Amino acid sequence: MRRPNSRPQKRQFFKHKRLTELQEIELLESWIEFGKPDSGSNPLSLAPPPSNAPIGRIDGDSFSPYAGCDRFDRLPLSQKTIDGLKKSEYVTMTEIQRASLPHSLCGRDILGAAKTGSGKTLAFLIPVLEKLYRLRWGPEDGVGSIIISPTRELAGQLFDVLKSVGKLHSFSAGLLIGGRKDVGMEKEHVNELNILVCTPGRLLQHMDETPNFDCSQVQVLVLDEADRILDVGFKKALNAIISQLPKHRQTLLFSATQTKSVQDLARLSLKDPEYLSVHEESATATPNRLQQTAMIVPLDQKLDMLWSFIKAHLNSRILVFFASRKQVKFVFEAFKKLRPGIPLKCLHGKMNQQKRMGIYSQFCESRSVLFSTDVASRGLDFNKGVDWVIQVDCPEDVAAYIHRVGRTARYQSGGRSVLFLVPSEAEMLKKLEVAKIPIHLIKANTKRLQPVSRLLEALLVKYSDMKYLAQKAFITYLRSIHKQGDKEVFDVMKLPAEEFSVSLGLALTPKVRFLNQKTKSKLMPAETSLHLPEISDEENLSEIPRSKEVTVGSKELEVDKGFLLTESPDEAEGQATEIEAVGLGTRITKKKKLKINVHRPVGSRVVFDEEGNTLPPLAKIADRDGGNDVLQLDKVKERYAKLREEMKPRDKEDKLLHRQRLKDKRMKEKMKMKSRSEEEGEEDLSGSDTEAAAGRKSKRSKIYFDSDNGESEGEGNEDKVKFSAESISLAEQEALALKLLNSMHS
Ligand SMILES: Nc1ncnc2c1ncn2[C@@H]1O[C@H](COP(=O)(O)OP(=O)(O)OP(=O)(O)O)[C@@H](O)[C@H]1O
């Protein structure tokens, strides 16, 4: 009885809701049309209305202005979006949101550039939601918007923000990224999704493989980190994607480092795009709350510096960038074994996706050090903030620098960054300065440096897989420098390859095959690691931005003051002395330091000096020519040369021993096989079941017996061995075989 009554009520409710929605859309369309900002204008130049000014329709056909407003609820947005924003605690707009939303809500194409961490994500997600809402997009309409991100982690992050802000809308959205196994399931549902957040590769995979996958109705295309996606690396994929999208669509491009290349934009067929670069006039290209520093660090001392830095900042969240995956793996594995006292994690593109996502969220949650390649350099917003960004290897260009340091000091929080430059990369400082990046050249407080290369040497002796990782790290680093396009900054020939390999704990310098013989011979000899950087002369020094003091205040920053010293102009007697001091300082192992050898790998040999203090295993070798000698560079080099010489015969011995062991093992296996076949019976040996059996049999007789008469080849010899398989036990056979082997080797 109740049912028939309830139906009309329900229908009434929906009818009412539909009308409201339609009315809302109508109102929004009129409001947007009424307050359209002039094409080419920047709404940021308009003063925001007073807080008590009316919002929406004022009377008849007039509406409140929205260009220039500073709060989301003053924009012509659907109630669902306003409520979604409020629930996610977004009330006031950031500059890029204020500048771009009035234009993008009108349906215009946007090229948006703003500093890292300035809120570009909402600047493109809101117009996507609003456009589809106003078009009353539903499940049967299929894909209405595609948001492309260069990395999986970033796509995942965008998807989370979309879910949070758009949770009151009824659109279906999907995350399509590589590395996920459920591609089959994705294929079944991808056509039902309204908003796709994806990486270029996975999207293209669906375009190629998924039957009936249709993107011909796409209304809004978004490229986050647009300059990266338009880069050569994604060129083919992007061209293929664009060819399957309708020409009439809205396109939104955002990045902290925007492209203006006409060629790039022509590929996207933008229509009169609004170029909104909100921080173009700003004094700096990086966030204002970011304190940026650089240090000249000889290549062979980078790991000493990094290790010391980590040990001095055990309560921080530190993101460390390297040039290659192999370096990330080596340093992560090595430092993990040395136990610095803070959790270590690593992230690179070859990790499986689940692990990648896990590491990303773990790093968001707790204090730790994350070693990463540039896979984490763009867009990622670690929710509890990153305290330090350390660039152990120089970024490939200024844009890469901006994105890397942009992982800290996001939105309204502060952050700090350190860039390590080898002396030959000092040119990078000038490039950063030209790009309006306020970076201060500092030098390390060498008293607090803790050398780590000797510990690495010990590790490599103990763990053979570490040696392999170190070799790979060495080669890939040199290769990455060799491949860099900017030859003003990167010159592989200026790198002290041998010293570098020693600093990784390698006794022998690996061969660098990708450099031809001629080039190899030109690789810098060891002493160039201490050569002056190009900024050594007074003239150039004055061009490098300096700060008199790093502004530090908190308790933790006292540690920084101890570890990092700003180079004051008074100190600049000449870069030569300073760099040399840094160079030597990091190599000096003061006895005092060695007394507490807390970094010793677990289970490693402990060596004591005459006073009963513990020393790292190789410290003894270092000191045996007299304590003061290590203070001299020549002696240090001599020591390493000696060490290498000492290691050479040991390496040979190891190889011989290894070969011998393999032989013994093979011999034992064969003996076992023989005794097994004997147990199985004569007929097996004489039978001709398979070719393999025949082969085995003939091989056996070749090794153990004189082929015809069953006598050993060594007859007549003192150690002659003559045996018959039937007459002796397996143990005896093994003993005899070993004896035979020994006699052969002797
Ligand atoms: N209007 C806002 N009010 C408060 N917080 C905001 C607002 N907009 C963005 N944020 C916060 O600012 C942080 C950075 O935002 P977002 O990730 O969008 O920056 P971005 O400009 O895309 O950075 P990147 O260039 O590194 O990709 C995020 O934590 C986000 O939640």
Side-chain angles (χ1 to χ4, degrees):
M1 289 288 285
R2 271 183 198 165
R3 276 195 175 170
N5 281 343
S6 66
R7 273 197 169 171
Q9 265 180 17
K10 214 172 176 186
R11 225 180 283 136
Q12 192 69 32
F13 170 77
F14 277 118
K15 198 175 163 198
H16 174 73
K17 197 183 162 207
R18 274 168 74 96
L19 274 177
T20 323
E21 245 177 44
L22 279 173
Q23 283 171 343
E24 187 187 25
I25 290 168
E26 216 178 287
L27 179 134
L28 290 174
E29 300 279 12
S30 315
W31 189 1
I32 289 170
E33 193 55 35
F34 180 84
K36 258 185 184 179
D38 290 341
S39 205
S41 69
N42 187 344
L44 269 182
S45 60
L46 304 168
S51 56
N52 58 355
I55 302 172
R57 192 188 296 271
I58 296 172
D59 59 69
D61 284 342
S62 82
F63 296 84
S64 61
Y66 59 88
C69 67
D70 57 356
R71 274 176 20 207
F72 288 113
D73 62 2
R74 292 195 160 271
L75 287 173
L77 301 180
S78 63
Q79 200 54 46
K80 285 178 179 173
T81 301
I82 297 272
D83 291 345
L85 286 165
K86 251 189 220 153
K87 285 205 161 113
S88 310
E89 295 177 20
Y90 297 122
V91 177
T92 315
M93 286 187 270
T94 64
E95 289 190 332
I96 183 67
Q97 293 157 5
R98 280 182 66 195
S100 66
L101 284 170
H103 287 290
S104 55
L105 288 171
C106 304
R108 293 174 183 158
D109 287 351
I110 304 282
L111 260 156
K115 291 179 187 180
T116 52
S118 60
K120 293 184 285 295
T121 311
L122 287 182
F124 58 75
L125 288 183
I126 292 173
V128 165
L129 288 170
E130 288 301 293
K131 176 110 179 185
L132 296 186
Y133 178 74
R134 293 201 311 269
L135 287 169
R136 315 203 67 235
W137 208 261
E140 67 286 355
D141 296 312
V143 183
S145 176
I146 294 178
I147 299 166
I148 304 181
S149 136
T151 65
R152 300 168 186 178
E153 285 75 14
L154 181 53
Q157 186 182 290
L158 299 179
F159 189 62
D160 288 343
V161 182
L162 177 68
K163 279 193 298 184
S164 150
V165 173
K167 69 175 158 212
L168 300 174
H169 284 281
S170 50
F171 308 123
S172 53
L175 176 65
L176 308 180
I177 53 175
R180 283 155 62 122
K181 289 188 185 124
D182 48 2
V183 67
M185 207 176 78
E186 265 180 31
K187 283 179 182 173
E188 277 174 32
H189 297 287
V190 72
N191 263 326
E192 298 155 18
L193 300 172
N194 300 141
I195 304 172
L196 305 181
V197 181
C198 49
T199 48
R202 189 59 149 227
L203 176 62
L204 197 57
Q205 186 183 354
H206 281 293
M207 285 178 160
D208 289 346
E209 296 174 3
T210 307
N212 306 324
F213 179 54
D214 181 18
C215 293
S216 62
Q217 299 306 311
V218 166
Q219 302 295 312
V220 192
L221 169 71
V222 177
L223 304 189
D224 190 15
E225 306 298 340
D227 56 329
R228 177 78 189 94
I229 294 175
L230 289 164
D231 208 0
V232 275
F234 289 115
K235 192 171 180 174
K236 270 190 183 168
L238 189 69
N239 286 352
I241 290 168
I242 300 287
S243 70
Q244 302 205 30
L245 302 181
K247 281 230 155 54
H248 296 287
R249 56 160 202 267
Q250 185 178 9
T251 306
L252 309 174
L253 311 181
F254 281 87
S255 181
T257 48
Q258 195 54 278
T259 181
K260 280 187 198 170
S261 152
V262 177
Q263 266 185 343
D264 284 344
L265 304 181
R267 282 161 66 203
L268 294 169
S269 2
L270 299 185
K271 300 172 295 294
D272 307 323
E274 295 295 330
Y275 183 75
L276 296 157
S277 178
V278 298
H279 298 123
E280 207 164 45
E281 302 306 313
S282 164
T284 62
T286 43
N288 297 340
R289 290 184 181 80
L290 175 63
Q291 292 173 19
Q292 301 167 75
T293 46
M295 282 188 201
I296 300 292
V297 185
L299 181 58
D300 55 317
Q301 290 157 23
K302 275 188 181 179
L303 291 187
D304 294 342
M305 196 68 83
L306 177 64
W307 175 256
S308 311
F309 187 92
I310 292 173
K311 294 288 294 175
H313 297 85
L314 296 179
N315 284 319
S316 305
R317 195 176 279 116
I318 307 170
L319 180 55
V320 183
F321 286 105
F322 287 94
S324 75
R325 178 168 54 90
K326 299 278 165 56
Q327 282 165 279
V328 166
K329 275 176 95 171
F330 169 67
V331 179
F332 167 68
E333 292 296 340
F335 279 19
K336 201 170 67 173
K337 288 190 167 61
L338 299 178
R339 299 188 179 182
I342 179 170
L344 303 180
K345 305 183 190 320
C346 77
L347 191 71
H348 55 76
K350 284 274 160 76
M351 287 166 89
N352 84 47
Q353 192 47 36
Q354 228 179 341
K355 208 168 169 191
R356 265 168 77 165
M357 287 297 198
I359 299 238
Y360 165 66
S361 41
Q362 281 165 23
F363 183 63
C364 285
E365 290 312 314
S366 61
R367 72 175 178 102
S368 51
V369 181
L370 177 63
F371 299 113
S372 180
T373 57
D374 274 331
V375 75
S377 69
R378 277 182 180 254
L380 294 187
D381 188 56
F382 299 98
N383 59 16
K384 288 197 179 139
V386 173
D387 301 304
W388 286 95
V389 170
I390 311 294
Q391 304 191 51
V392 173
D393 295 328
C394 182
E396 64 171 317
D397 53 23
V398 172
Y401 174 92
I402 290 175
H403 287 283
R404 281 176 171 188
V405 293
R407 295 319 99 213
T408 185
R410 298 181 68 73
Y411 189 50
Q412 291 177 338
S413 52
R416 284 160 287 178
S417 68
V418 184
L419 167 68
F420 293 176
L421 293 171
V422 299
S424 58
E425 290 165 352
E427 185 67 23
M428 189 69 180
L429 287 172
K430 285 185 199 156
K431 300 201 172 208
L432 294 174
E433 193 191 6
V434 170
K436 297 199 293 187
I437 293 168
I439 188 163
H440 307 297
L441 186 66
I442 57 167
K443 65 171 184 145
N445 177 353
T446 53
K447 284 180 201 145
R448 301 201 55 174
L449 280 169
Q450 302 179 22
V452 78
S453 32
R454 290 181 192 177
L455 303 175
L456 294 177
E457 276 173 22
L459 272 188
L460 265 55
V461 170
K462 192 167 176 210
Y463 304 98
S464 55
D465 53 332
M466 289 301 303
K467 189 171 155 189
Y468 174 75
L469 286 181
Q471 286 168 341
K472 288 280 175 191
F474 171 85
I475 291 171
T476 51
Y477 173 74
L478 291 184
R479 186 183 288 128
S480 74
I481 299 297
H482 180 57
K483 280 186 176 171
Q484 291 288 2
D486 189 347
K487 297 297 174 203
E488 278 178 356
V489 175
F490 301 99
D491 187 348
V492 74
M493 243 69 91
K494 287 189 180 156
L495 298 178
E498 214 172 309
E499 290 277 295
F500 176 44
S501 80
V502 171
S503 76
L504 301 180
L506 287 165
L508 297 172
T509 308
K511 280 182 189 151
V512 190
R513 287 184 211 283
F514 59 88
L515 295 174
N516 61 34
Q517 276 316 113
K518 214 169 145 192
T519 326
K520 254 192 274 179
S521 64
K522 281 192 204 164
L523 273 178
M524 279 282 166
E527 57 267 29
T528 39
S529 66
L530 297 178
H531 270 191
L532 310 184
E534 280 147 54
I535 51 163
S536 59
D537 59 81
E538 281 302 319
E539 217 179 280
N540 283 345
L541 266 178
S542 63
E543 283 172 32
I544 293 162
R546 292 155 183 280
S547 76
K548 289 218 165 76
E549 204 182 351
V550 175
T551 42
V552 285
S554 70
K555 198 177 159 211
E556 187 188 286
L557 283 169
E558 279 171 25
V559 178
D560 303 335
K561 259 193 166 169
F563 181 71
L564 306 173
L565 281 183
T566 308
E567 201 179 279
S568 78
D570 314 337
E571 285 175 305
E573 292 161 15
Q575 191 74 2
T577 351
E578 285 162 356
I579 296 299
E580 202 159 277
V582 174
L584 288 170
T586 52
R587 279 267 164 257
I588 297 165
T589 312
K590 288 192 177 172
K591 278 195 172 173
K592 230 180 182 178
K593 276 264 149 70
L594 292 171
K595 277 182 187 167
I596 312 162
N597 186 13
V598 288
H599 323 298
R600 178 171 57 84
V602 181
S604 64
R605 211 174 114 228
V606 183
V607 182
F608 294 91
D609 66 9
E610 279 152 19
E611 294 153 30
N613 300 316
T614 54
L615 292 172
L618 294 167
K620 258 255 168 290
I621 304 170
D623 277 345
R624 77 180 167 207
D625 295 336
N628 285 339
D629 285 352
V630 287
L631 294 174
Q632 294 165 24
L633 179 63
D634 287 349
K635 291 284 175 185
V636 176
K637 276 189 270 160
E638 210 176 280
R639 183 175 69 77
Y640 278 119
K642 224 188 254 175
L643 201 63
R644 269 195 297 279
E645 281 311 308
E646 276 175 31
M647 291 302 279
K648 269 184 195 166
R650 272 192 231 166
D651 244 24
K652 261 190 193 167
E653 276 171 29
D654 281 355
K655 273 181 198 158
L656 278 175
L657 201 72
H658 182 63
R659 252 184 254 149
Q660 178 67 46
R661 278 190 192 137
L662 281 180
K663 270 189 184 169
D664 291 354
K665 202 174 151 197
R666 256 182 266 136
M667 180 75 82
K668 272 188 185 170
E669 273 166 12
K670 278 168 187 160
M671 292 295 285
K672 263 185 207 160
M673 270 174 60
K674 173 156 175 52
S675 69
R676 218 180 295 137
S677 59
E678 281 164 9
E679 278 162 21
E680 282 164 13
E682 269 297 317
E683 69 276 19
D684 269 352
L685 279 176
S686 56
S688 56
D689 267 4
T690 62
E691 264 182 39
R696 275 205 310 269
K697 187 185 164 194
S698 65
K699 231 181 173 181
R700 266 196 301 272
S701 41
K702 193 177 163 194
I703 294 171
Y704 301 118
F705 301 102
D706 184 288
S707 51
D708 289 320
N709 58 18
E711 285 176 355
S712 79
E713 286 173 311
E715 198 172 11
N717 186 304
E718 228 179 31
D719 292 327
K720 73 181 172 191
V721 183
K722 181 177 180 180
F723 60 91
S724 132
E726 293 97 47
S727 62
I728 54 172
S729 70
L730 176 62
E732 283 167 328
Q733 285 177 39
E734 280 185 4
L736 278 170
L738 282 174
K739 212 171 172 188
L740 173 63
L741 250 183
N742 287 338
S743 72
M744 276 158 62
H745 283 294
S746 63

